[in-house]
Amino acid sequence: VKLLQQALLADQSPTIGVSGLAGSGKSFALSGLMLSGCGPWLVIAPDKEAAAYIQNTIAALLPDADILFIPDSFKRPGLIEEIISSQVMERTESVNKLFNNSTTGYQKASMLAVTYPEAIVESVISPSSVSKQQIQIKKGEDLGVEGLLSLLVDIGFDRVDFVYEPGQFSIRGGIIDIFSFGNEWPFRIELFDEEVESIRLFDPLTQLSQRNLSLINIIPNVQTHFDSREYIPLLEAIPSSTFVWIMEPGLIIDRYQDSWERLSSIRAIDIDPEQHAIVRFIKEKQFTPTHFLIDGLKAMRVIIEGDTNEFLQPTSMIPFKMKSQPSFNKNFPLLIDDLKNQTKLGRTNYIFTANARQVERFYSIFEDLGAQVQFIPITKSIHEGFIDSSAKVVCYTDHQIFERFHQYHLRRGFTKDQALNVRLLRELQPGDFVTHIDHGIGKYSGLEKINIGGHVQESVRLFYKNNDILYVSIHSLHKISKFVGKDGTEPVLSKLGSDAWENLKRKTKSKVKDIARELIKLYALRKNAPGFAFEPDGYLQNELEASFIYEDTPDQFKATQDVKEDMEKAHPMDRLICGDVGFGKTEV
């Protein structure tokens, strides 16, 4: 890695070839370069899956760095039948972060973005055009709501009741929610009269705040607001100070050409003018793969991994001495022999695993087999193991040892159906009965804006007995649930201010305690009955569990541990496992 760093910094625009990397070795090499202050980086992988695994691995190795992902805009890479707003948002956010990183005066080396051919073939809005047309809002400044509303509409935003995707805003009294493009979370602005009292990011699913901000920039709707003249090739939007790592350039060029031809062949009548400015740009600006590589990368420092071709020829080569992790096929004696041999060769053994439970299984299996194995567990998830003979390290992954599927994780956007508290309001109709945990059964009557201490807030209006009204803040929706009772039987409304609801809750608790006492007696009798006590987990059980394709969820793990604990007792088990179809009852 040091040789690679020296070669990169010795020349302003070298093209360096690397060979001998294996498994996740390239991710470790990139992480080492970033830690040594070499960066920022753009990594071009052959396809979306490879890009996602690299992004996930480096993000696990460097949790404090900005590890970005630049996706294409479509549901299926290179096919334009459906644009995914969350992918457009992440694409815009990543490109603008790279661009702004070079213009702030203090460039962070600990920034890396990963992409792939179908994402590069798409043009992007020039970051300078974005910065010119964005709306800036500061804490403490005066903000006219009507003027802001007009500006948001002008830059392509839609007004909705509750925001859940980029390009939406809502105004509820003195609260303004805006989901900007180029940002993972929406903004919530609270006004005192016209003064911006607070700005914070919030989770649209829970409505909970993430962190406070003093200044925000609202990026226009990148899907509808800009015309094709403001689009540029993606590589032109990347600062020239960026280092580029290209994997398998021959394969990348082929996939880039395929995507290019697919998008360029679209007939004009197939293009939705509001959604496919990126396609119009491709049709109007006839760039070629030669331009993409030579002109797009000519000012950058490039590392080539894999076979070279006529477009890119390295000026020097840096060899690594790595081998891929061997296949053990869940053969633990074979794994034990291998780890012992690696130790004899003076190498340090590391086993990477996604969670601590898998580490415990390794220790348990080695103990059951009576093996004295030297290894260091690392609770970080990497995609592929490798052996580096030069660095004298062995990095194995648990999922390869157990032949488990290793899943990558990419950011997913929010959907309308996911917003839990907001969904309650959508499901309720005026006249529906609801239960408030503190006040009892009332009747839903819609939303109303009320003034509380000088702040206008949106509240839920509930009617109770004698037409008494209760206003519930949208921040307290967790206290309300839709009434569930006997079909066709209308409930009696509770009376506000009376003790009836509290008395009903107290009587219900008393009855529950009576039932509990009866159950305790029953369980005492069962506990005295004889049963079969199973042995604690052994080698085969640990191996079986570790080989499952997916890791247990916390609920599955707890249910499994509870069942095991019951089965090891000397009295009959009495337990019921409940769960929806496909939620893992069979594995438990």
Side-chain angles (χ1 to χ4, degrees):
V1 172
K2 288 182 180 178
L3 290 175
L4 192 52
Q5 181 189 11
Q6 291 169 3
L8 284 169
L9 299 179
D11 189 351
Q12 284 301 306
S13 56
T15 301
I16 301 170
V18 294
S19 63
L21 290 168
S24 291
K26 65 179 71 65
S27 297
F28 278 74
L30 278 160
S31 299
L33 288 167
M34 292 174 69
L35 289 173
S36 64
C38 192
W41 286 90
L42 175 69
V43 179
I44 305 176
D47 54 53
K48 186 174 184 177
E49 182 179 89
Y53 280 124
I54 291 170
Q55 192 269 348
N56 280 203
T57 298
I58 298 179
L61 295 173
L62 302 177
D64 295 327
D66 283 324
I67 311 301
L68 312 172
F69 192 73
I70 304 179
D72 65 306
S73 301
F74 308 112
K75 187 173 184 179
R76 290 189 293 166
L79 300 177
I80 70 160
E81 72 276 7
E82 184 178 349
I83 281 183
I84 306 299
S85 293
S86 61
Q87 292 177 194
V88 176
M89 173 185 67
E90 185 173 14
R91 179 179 176 84
T92 306
E93 177 185 356
S94 298
V95 171
N96 279 277
K97 277 189 174 182
L98 283 171
F99 176 80
N100 293 330
N101 183 47
S102 67
T103 59
T104 56
Y106 174 69
Q107 182 165 279
K108 292 171 59 179
S110 57
M111 181 176 286
L112 177 145
V114 190
T115 190
Y116 49 97
E118 290 85 354
I120 296 175
V121 77
E122 286 185 43
S123 54
V124 295
I125 300 163
S126 167
S128 58
S129 295
V130 172
S131 62
K132 288 176 185 176
Q133 300 191 49
Q134 63 191 10
I135 301 172
Q136 190 174 89
I137 300 174
K138 296 180 182 178
K139 181 180 176 181
E141 72 176 3
D142 287 342
L143 184 69
V145 175
E146 292 301 321
L148 177 62
L149 187 153
S150 177
L151 284 173
L152 290 171
V153 172
D154 287 344
I155 63 172
F157 278 61
D158 295 323
R159 185 170 182 174
V160 295
D161 291 332
F162 296 93
V163 302
Y164 64 90
E165 68 177 9
Q168 295 179 334
F169 73 96
S170 68
I171 299 178
R172 300 186 302 279
I175 299 176
I176 304 171
D177 292 343
I178 305 172
F179 206 144
S180 170
F181 280 82
N183 206 73
E184 182 177 2
W185 304 97
F187 302 119
R188 175 159 288 164
I189 303 163
E190 290 201 32
L191 302 178
F192 184 75
D193 290 331
E194 291 192 345
E195 181 185 344
V196 178
E197 188 173 47
S198 70
I199 306 172
R200 58 185 186 269
L201 295 172
F202 74 97
D203 185 340
L205 306 188
T206 63
Q207 299 291 301
L208 296 178
S209 298
Q210 299 298 310
R211 69 174 188 272
N212 292 319
L213 304 169
S214 57
L215 182 148
I216 59 173
N217 292 309
I218 310 299
I219 294 178
N221 189 328
V222 296
Q223 290 178 246
T224 61
H225 183 66
F226 298 91
D227 61 42
S228 59
R229 291 172 296 178
E230 295 172 284
Y231 279 75
I232 61 174
L234 186 144
L235 289 176
E236 286 186 14
I238 304 299
S240 60
S241 57
T242 306
F243 296 84
V244 181
W245 185 298
I246 301 178
M247 301 166 53
E248 304 293 342
L251 181 57
I252 286 173
I253 289 174
D254 290 342
R255 293 181 69 95
Y256 177 88
Q257 183 69 39
D258 288 344
S259 297
W260 176 270
E261 291 174 356
R262 190 158 46 240
L263 292 177
S264 299
S265 65
I266 299 168
R267 294 175 302 162
I269 58 172
D270 295 329
I271 301 174
D272 180 345
E274 290 191 354
Q275 295 217 334
H276 296 306
I278 49 177
V279 177
R280 293 201 307 278
F281 172 84
I282 288 172
K283 296 176 75 66
E284 293 168 10
K285 310 284 187 181
Q286 292 301 312
F287 292 121
T288 65
T290 305
H291 172 277
F292 150 66
L293 286 171
I294 296 177
D295 291 353
L297 300 172
K298 63 183 178 181
M300 299 184 186
R301 286 158 287 188
V302 179
I303 291 177
I304 299 174
E305 179 196 355
D307 296 333
T308 59
N309 55 74
E310 60 181 303
F311 295 111
L312 283 177
Q313 292 294 329
T315 55
S316 60
M317 289 292 296
I318 305 292
F320 285 82
K321 295 180 180 179
M322 294 185 184
K323 293 192 301 183
S324 296
Q325 174 176 330
S327 176
F328 297 108
N329 297 314
K330 294 180 283 188
N331 185 330
F332 278 90
L334 183 63
L335 172 65
I336 291 167
D337 289 342
D338 180 85
L339 293 174
K340 288 181 176 179
N341 288 334
Q342 301 292 356
T343 301
K344 289 178 183 177
L345 292 171
R347 298 169 181 168
T348 304
N349 298 319
Y350 296 92
I351 296 182
F352 287 77
T353 176
N355 59 73
R357 290 204 298 268
Q358 199 76 323
V359 175
E360 294 171 5
R361 289 171 184 150
F362 275 111
Y363 280 122
S364 179
I365 289 170
F366 292 149
E367 184 180 351
D368 285 349
L369 294 177
Q372 299 296 321
V373 178
Q374 295 181 21
F375 77 100
I376 300 173
I378 306 291
T379 52
K380 291 181 181 292
S381 179
I382 66 173
H383 182 48
E384 294 176 311
F386 62 94
I387 301 168
D388 189 339
S389 57
S390 296
K392 292 189 176 298
V393 295
V394 175
C395 299
Y396 288 166
T397 71
D398 66 315
H399 56 269
Q400 285 179 292
I401 292 171
F402 291 112
E403 296 186 330
R404 305 173 72 192
F405 175 69
H406 184 226
Q407 189 171 17
Y408 62 79
H409 299 280
L410 295 177
R411 183 194 299 176
R412 294 179 179 272
F414 306 106
T415 64
K416 199 170 185 178
D417 293 332
Q418 283 178 310
L420 301 178
N421 290 340
V422 177
R423 184 171 61 190
L424 171 66
L425 294 181
R426 290 204 313 272
E427 291 175 349
L428 288 175
Q429 299 294 326
D432 286 348
F433 291 99
V434 298
T435 303
H436 190 290
I437 193 170
D438 297 326
H439 302 287
I441 301 170
K443 187 178 288 187
Y444 175 71
S445 181
L447 297 173
E448 184 174 327
K449 295 174 182 176
I450 59 175
N451 192 307
I452 302 175
H455 292 269
V456 177
Q457 293 188 8
E458 188 104 37
S459 299
V460 176
R461 184 175 60 246
L462 302 179
F463 277 103
Y464 282 81
K465 195 170 184 178
N466 300 327
N467 286 326
D468 289 340
I469 300 176
L470 175 71
Y471 293 100
V472 181
S473 168
I474 61 168
H475 303 297
S476 299
L477 288 180
H478 59 280
K479 292 190 173 185
I480 301 174
S481 61
K482 194 168 184 178
F483 174 80
V484 178
K486 292 181 180 179
D487 290 340
T489 303
E490 188 170 294
V492 177
L493 294 179
S494 301
K495 180 175 174 58
L496 292 178
S498 74
D499 296 331
W501 178 248
E502 288 300 322
N503 290 335
L504 179 60
K505 288 200 293 185
R506 194 161 40 248
K507 288 179 182 177
T508 302
K509 288 178 182 178
S510 177
K511 290 182 179 180
V512 170
K513 287 180 180 178
D514 291 339
I515 295 171
R517 278 191 286 270
E518 294 299 320
L519 287 174
I520 290 170
K521 291 179 183 177
L522 177 61
Y523 276 92
L525 294 172
R526 285 179 175 171
K527 199 162 188 178
N528 290 327
F532 181 84
F534 287 84
E535 294 293 326
D537 288 354
Y539 158 66
L540 292 175
Q541 177 72 16
N542 281 302
E543 181 185 345
L544 170 69
E545 291 180 5
S547 68
F548 286 170
I549 293 178
Y550 299 106
E551 189 61 44
D552 291 348
T553 65
D555 287 342
Q556 289 169 341
F557 176 72
K558 183 180 185 303
T560 302
Q561 296 306 110
D562 290 343
V563 170
K564 287 180 179 179
E565 187 178 328
D566 284 354
M567 293 176 70
E568 291 169 15
K569 293 175 181 176
H571 55 82
M573 178 170 70
D574 181 37
R575 185 171 294 278
L576 176 66
I577 303 295
C578 298
D580 288 342
V581 174
F583 272 57
K585 297 187 297 297
T586 304
E587 286 80 355
V588 171

